């Protein structure tokens, strides 16, 4: 049987269909079976599991995992290795639920004990751990069972395969995990610290797979805060190594992984972004990611070529991600990226690709570049980027919607030439619908974009926004549990209520509700910023001609203004002071009556007291 199925998927399937698996598992678990027979059974099962995903499913359906785990309790190392090899193959298959490793709490500690038995057991167990560590709770379980101490010494093993699997294990353990990363920094192996060992594995004479994985370990430790971003091992070793991986002579997978890891490393740090952007002509090197998927020297066989053509979209996704990270903060880098050949066309094409991942990465890249005032005025306009962006916003998945709507917020800033055409293409309804989303990030972006749209806008746009949003929805957003949504909604209100004729017009139709909302927020448990923004809205209302009366006839609001002028927080005092200034302005009609009324409620006494204030700004006002 063993000789029939090796390397022959058809024969494997035949044996499975004929019912060989339950029989093999029965023999494997029989106490009367000799150890040689059990080992042969495990080897045949291991070979069957090497076949197609359907083969693995059939094996899982026969409950092969508990049977093999039971086999690990044997004393015979050859049988243990055969079971581990088969477990390794099954656990590395995409159809196997990794949770199966964690269902029985005795399994992990037993695997830790087996690590000392042989080189093969070390290789397979590390491979199983590396593949089955997919979530924070998996990292915690392995960490609590002492995986760091048990695997660290394997990094200096005589076997390359063992070193490699141990290294992979550390990369998945450290990812996004400060607890593990902080521990790794101080682990000693043969008198050397772990980061130093990782740096040695980055050297150019090491196999590419090892260089990449070591770079990942150091990247993840850096992002988790256990290595500083200006540490030499990051700036002089990890970053250049990852840039090397982006070279067109490398294999497709290596270029993809190199670019994605580098994007993750430099994402939060502007200094690393600057260094990366001038290392090895990285920006123009990434332009090759959009051309032929593999270099001529790498294409030695037709299979490789076929594979690369099928996976070319992964290269584009990785390039967009890295461009997004590179351009996150620095204006000069953004300019370089946009000047790379056909860059804007490539982004526009990326926005309409079939692969969701490429679309998301292209939108991220566009979002990063849209932070530039100069680019919004030039390249973005020349390429009418807003058109494909508006198309992306129709029925996209949430993760794309969040980034695309953030980009739209930038395109709607008052100096952006795209603002007009976006308005004409029905953006108001689209943004109003975003404010109804369950997802708070989408609500924030919807209302933020409307706020940008209302800034210094004409009366018609403001009326369209109010009509599209509906007063009910506007007031629902003012009591939103998410403070960011509340702040942006107040910002929108403040922008709607600017310039006198607009203030009077909006207050004549919505005055009562707006005054209720203002009262409601000033009485609520809100932070200083929220209350300051609300007082600024009141100051805008006080600037209206007829709108002023809504404040003057509302004693409750007048008392609140008085309270905030005498408040302990300077920002709130200044905001309330603006309200008073706008109400008492001498040139305005009826100013005398308003001044008398404010005198009556004791405002003048407070102003006298504040004119002795230590703060020059407050004193001046």
């Amino acid at each position: 049987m063993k000789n029939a199925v090796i390397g022959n998927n058809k024969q494997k399937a035949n044996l499975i269909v004929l019912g060989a698996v339950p029989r093999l598992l029965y023999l494997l678990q029989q106490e009367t079976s000799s150890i040689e027979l059990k080992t042969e059974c495990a080897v045949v099962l291991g070979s069957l599991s090497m076949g197609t995903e359907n083969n693995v499913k059939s094996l899982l359906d026969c409950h092969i995992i508990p049977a093999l785990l039971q086999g690990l309790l044997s004393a015979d190392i050859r049988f243990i290795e055969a079971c581990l090899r088969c477990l390794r193959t099954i656990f590395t298959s995409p159809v196997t639920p990794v949770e199966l490793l964690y269902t029985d709490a005795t399994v992990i500690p037993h695997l830790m004990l087996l690590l000392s038995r042989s080189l093969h057991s070390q290789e397979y167990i590390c491979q199983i751990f590396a593949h089955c560590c997919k979530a924070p709770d998996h990292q915690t379980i392995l960490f609590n069972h002492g995986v760091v101490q048990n695997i660290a010494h394997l990094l200096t093993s005589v076997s390359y395969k063992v070193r490699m699997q141990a290294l992979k294990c550390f990369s998945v353990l450290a990812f996004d995990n400060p607890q593990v990363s902080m521990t790794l920094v101080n682990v000693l192996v043969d008198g050397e610290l772990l980061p130093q060992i990782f740096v040695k594995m980055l050297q150019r004479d090491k196999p590419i797979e090892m260089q990449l994985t070591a770079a990942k370990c150091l990247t993840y430790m850096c992002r988790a805060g256990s290595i500083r971003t200006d540490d030499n091992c990051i700036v002089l070793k990890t970053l250049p190594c990852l840039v090397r991986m982006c070279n067109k002579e490398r294999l497709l997978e290596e270029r993809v992984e190199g670019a994605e890891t580098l994007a993750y490393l430099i994402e939060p740090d502007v200094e690393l972004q600057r260094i990366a952007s001038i290392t090895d002509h990285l920006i123009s090197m990434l332009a090759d990611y959009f051309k032929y998927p593999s270099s001529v020297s790498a294409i030695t066989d037709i299979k490789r070529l076929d594979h690369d053509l099928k996976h070319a979209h992964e290269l584009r996704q990785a390039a967009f991600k890295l461009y997004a990270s590179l351009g996150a903060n620095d204006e000069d880098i953004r300019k370089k990226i946009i000047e790379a050949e056909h860059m804007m066309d490539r982004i526009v094409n990326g926005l309409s690709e079939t692969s969701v991942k490429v679309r998301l990465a292209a939108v991220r890249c566009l979002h990063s570049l849209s932070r530039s005032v100069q680019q919004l005025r030039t390249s973005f306009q020349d390429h009418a980027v807003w058109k494909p962006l508006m198309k992306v916003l129709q029925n996209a998945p949430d993760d794309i919607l969040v980034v695309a709507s953030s980009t739209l917020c930038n395109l709607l800033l008052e100096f952006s030439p795209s603002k007009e055409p976006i308005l004409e293409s029905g953006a108001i309804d689209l943004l109003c619908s975003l404010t109804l989303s369950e997802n708070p990030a989408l609500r924030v972006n919807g209302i933020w974009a409307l706020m940008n749209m209302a800034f210094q806008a004409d009366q018609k746009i403001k009326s369209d926004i109010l009509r599209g949003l509906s007063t009910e929805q506007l007031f629902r957003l003012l009591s939103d549990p998410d403070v960011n949504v509340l702040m942006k909604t107040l910002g929108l209100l403040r922008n709607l209520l600017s310039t006198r004729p607009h203030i009077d017009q909006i207050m004549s139709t919505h005055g009562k509700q707006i005054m209720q909302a203002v009262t409601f927020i000033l009485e609520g448990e809100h932070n200083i910023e929220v209350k300051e923004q609300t007082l600024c809205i009141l100051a805008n209302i006080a600037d209206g001609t007829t709108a002023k009366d809504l404040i003057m006839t509302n004693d409750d609001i007048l008392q609140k203004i008085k309270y905030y002028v005498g408040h302990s927080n300077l920002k709130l005092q200044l905001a309330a002071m603006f309200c008073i200034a706008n109400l008492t302005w001498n040139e305005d009609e009826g100013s005398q009556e308003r001044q008398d009324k404010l005198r009556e409620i004791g405002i003048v006494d407070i102003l006298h007291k504040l004119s002795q204030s230590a703060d020059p700004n407050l004193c001046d006002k």
Side-chain angles (χ1 to χ4, degrees):
M1 276 172 90
K2 179 171 76 177
N3 291 340
V5 297
I6 284 178
N8 188 331
N9 276 352
K10 207 166 174 187
Q11 285 288 28
K12 290 179 189 186
N14 283 339
L15 279 181
I16 291 174
V17 172
L18 292 170
V21 177
R23 183 74 188 144
L24 287 167
L25 286 171
Y26 169 77
L27 292 170
L28 181 97
Q29 294 174 90
Q30 269 302 82
E31 291 193 1
T32 51
S33 300
S34 70
I35 200 73
E36 287 76 22
L37 175 59
K38 286 182 176 183
T39 307
E40 285 296 322
C41 287
V43 171
V44 176
L45 287 165
S47 188
L48 293 177
S49 66
M50 291 268 191
T52 62
E53 289 183 0
N54 282 335
N55 292 2
V56 178
K57 280 181 188 157
S58 310
L59 294 170
L60 289 171
D61 292 341
C62 296
H63 306 294
I64 186 170
I65 289 184
L68 291 169
L69 290 173
Q70 195 57 40
L72 298 180
L73 298 171
S74 153
D76 185 87
I77 187 60
R78 279 195 55 238
F79 177 49
I80 291 175
E81 284 180 3
C83 290
L84 281 173
R85 190 179 304 118
C86 185
L87 280 166
R88 179 272 318 262
T89 309
I90 289 172
F91 272 122
T92 52
S93 163
V95 297
T96 310
V98 293
E99 293 304 331
L100 293 172
L101 183 67
Y102 303 97
T103 34
D104 177 347
T106 61
V107 170
I108 305 276
H110 187 63
L111 288 172
M112 295 289 177
L113 289 173
L114 292 177
L115 274 172
S116 58
R117 293 293 303 270
S118 71
L119 287 177
H120 284 308
S121 64
Q122 292 170 348
E123 179 194 336
Y124 304 143
I125 291 168
C126 285
Q127 207 171 348
I128 290 169
F129 286 163
H131 259 275
C132 295
C133 186
K134 299 274 190 229
D137 47 334
H138 301 160
Q139 291 173 324
T140 307
I141 293 169
L142 291 170
F143 181 77
N144 291 342
H145 279 106
V147 70
V148 174
Q149 293 68 28
N150 282 308
I151 290 181
H153 67 95
L154 302 182
L155 289 170
T156 55
S157 164
V158 290
S159 153
Y160 170 75
K161 285 181 172 175
V162 172
R163 292 201 299 279
M164 202 48 238
Q165 293 306 333
L167 189 58
K168 283 186 174 165
C169 222
F170 280 123
S171 79
V172 293
L173 284 166
F175 179 69
D176 206 10
N177 193 317
Q179 182 194 24
V180 174
S181 294
M182 287 299 182
T183 309
L184 294 186
V185 181
N186 301 314
V187 171
L188 279 170
V189 181
D190 299 344
E192 241 183 331
L193 287 168
L194 260 194
Q196 291 165 333
I197 291 178
F198 292 152
V199 167
K200 278 189 176 166
M201 292 176 154
L202 284 179
Q203 288 164 352
R204 288 165 190 254
D205 58 344
K206 298 286 186 286
I208 294 295
E209 177 190 29
M210 180 173 270
Q211 290 184 43
L212 243 177
T213 313
K216 275 182 163 177
C217 290
L218 290 160
T219 294
Y220 298 160
M221 288 168 72
C222 178
R223 282 297 307 264
S226 65
I227 299 178
R228 289 169 48 123
T229 50
D230 57 1
D231 190 301
N232 279 348
C233 76
I234 297 296
V235 179
L236 304 179
K237 301 288 183 184
T238 309
L239 187 147
C241 168
L242 290 169
V243 173
R244 281 204 303 277
M245 297 302 151
C246 300
N247 191 303
K248 65 170 185 275
E249 294 302 314
R250 300 261 60 86
L251 291 175
L252 180 134
E253 297 81 357
E254 294 160 1
R255 293 167 76 193
V256 169
E257 217 172 308
E260 293 197 338
T261 308
L262 183 55
Y264 183 67
L265 173 67
I266 66 176
E267 191 183 16
D269 190 89
V270 64
E271 208 33 58
L272 289 179
Q273 289 157 15
R274 288 188 185 128
I275 295 166
S277 73
I278 55 168
T279 303
D280 282 356
H281 308 291
L282 177 64
I283 290 175
S284 52
M285 191 147 62
L286 286 178
D288 289 329
Y289 277 48
F290 296 92
K291 296 177 191 166
Y292 210 66
S294 21
S295 79
V296 182
S297 61
I299 307 172
T300 42
D301 61 287
I302 203 78
K303 240 175 159 177
R304 180 84 223 172
L305 176 64
D306 184 51
H307 168 273
D308 283 5
L309 287 170
K310 283 199 185 98
H311 292 270
H313 64 276
E314 292 176 22
L315 276 176
R316 294 194 291 276
Q317 176 200 332
F320 282 138
K321 275 189 184 168
L322 184 44
Y323 277 137
S325 279
L326 281 165
N329 299 295
D330 187 289
E331 191 62 35
D332 296 335
I333 299 177
R334 287 189 199 121
K335 195 164 177 298
K336 274 193 202 160
I337 292 174
I338 284 182
E339 285 167 0
E341 50 183 322
H342 312 307
M343 190 60 205
M344 292 312 277
D345 297 331
R346 285 184 173 141
I347 295 177
V348 168
N349 293 339
L351 293 177
S352 54
E353 281 209 33
T354 43
S355 153
V356 176
K357 287 182 169 172
V358 177
R359 284 208 306 275
L360 177 58
V363 173
R364 282 214 171 120
C365 181
L366 190 63
H367 178 236
S368 185
L369 300 173
S370 75
R371 296 187 178 129
S372 155
V373 175
Q374 160 130 40
Q375 300 310 334
L376 283 175
R377 285 189 171 147
T378 52
S379 312
F380 275 52
Q381 192 53 18
D382 302 341
H383 292 265
V385 168
W386 63 271
K387 281 184 190 163
L389 186 67
M390 288 295 287
K391 208 162 144 196
V392 168
L393 282 161
Q394 320 290 336
N395 65 42
D398 265 17
D399 46 359
I400 290 186
L401 265 183
V402 171
V403 192
S405 53
S406 285
T407 312
L408 194 62
C409 287
N410 291 343
L411 290 178
L412 287 167
L413 290 161
E414 86 278 6
F415 51 74
S416 161
S418 310
K419 187 170 177 174
E420 290 300 311
I422 291 174
L423 270 168
E424 286 154 20
S425 67
I428 291 181
D429 295 339
L430 179 99
L431 296 169
C432 290
S433 67
L434 286 184
T435 68
L436 298 164
S437 167
E438 294 283 298
N439 181 336
L442 286 176
R443 291 202 302 279
V444 168
N445 286 348
I447 200 76
W448 193 340
L450 287 168
M451 176 185 102
N452 285 350
M453 200 181 265
F455 183 74
Q456 294 180 351
D458 56 39
Q459 181 61 46
K460 183 188 174 308
I461 294 175
K462 290 183 177 179
S463 307
D464 288 349
I465 291 175
L466 269 173
R467 207 180 12 257
L469 200 55
S470 86
T471 353
E472 300 77 51
Q473 176 59 3
L474 183 66
F475 295 115
R476 206 175 299 133
L477 292 166
L478 285 173
S479 50
D480 197 284
D482 187 301
V483 68
N484 294 322
V485 175
L486 174 56
M487 277 300 282
K488 296 294 174 245
T489 310
L490 290 168
L492 169 64
L493 249 184
R494 190 174 169 183
N495 286 349
L496 290 172
L497 293 166
S498 62
T499 73
R500 279 195 171 173
H502 297 183
I503 295 170
D504 290 334
Q505 211 244 304
I506 291 172
M507 292 307 288
S508 69
T509 49
H510 299 86
K512 190 169 166 236
Q513 292 144 303
I514 289 176
M515 294 307 282
Q516 277 174 342
V518 166
T519 311
F520 176 69
I521 291 173
L522 289 176
E523 283 174 354
E525 290 288 315
H526 292 290
N527 65 28
I528 299 290
E529 281 69 27
V530 169
K531 296 205 164 172
E532 180 191 16
Q533 191 74 292
T534 310
L535 287 167
C536 289
I537 290 172
L538 258 188
N540 282 12
I541 296 170
D543 193 32
T545 308
T546 53
K548 284 181 168 56
D549 300 342
L550 286 161
I551 297 180
M552 294 312 300
T553 54
N554 186 328
D555 289 336
D556 185 22
I557 284 282
L558 288 172
Q559 284 303 326
K560 287 193 169 45
I561 292 174
K562 177 183 171 181
Y563 167 74
Y564 284 108
V565 170
H567 198 275
S568 57
N569 183 285
L570 183 67
K571 283 182 176 173
L572 296 181
Q573 284 180 292
L574 285 168
M577 200 81 81
F578 275 118
C579 297
I580 296 169
N582 284 347
L583 289 171
T584 55
W585 202 248
N586 275 328
E587 279 89 88
D588 294 343
E589 202 178 320
S591 60
Q592 207 45 58
E593 292 86 344
R594 288 194 292 276
Q595 291 180 13
D596 293 342
K597 180 148 190 189
L598 292 172
R599 237 186 223 98
E600 260 170 60
I601 63 167
I603 295 279
V604 177
D605 308 335
I606 301 176
L607 294 177
H608 273 304
K609 205 174 356 181
L610 293 180
S611 61
Q612 294 354 162
S613 159
D615 184 272
N617 200 359
L618 185 62
C619 186
D620 189 39
K621 290 279 179 296

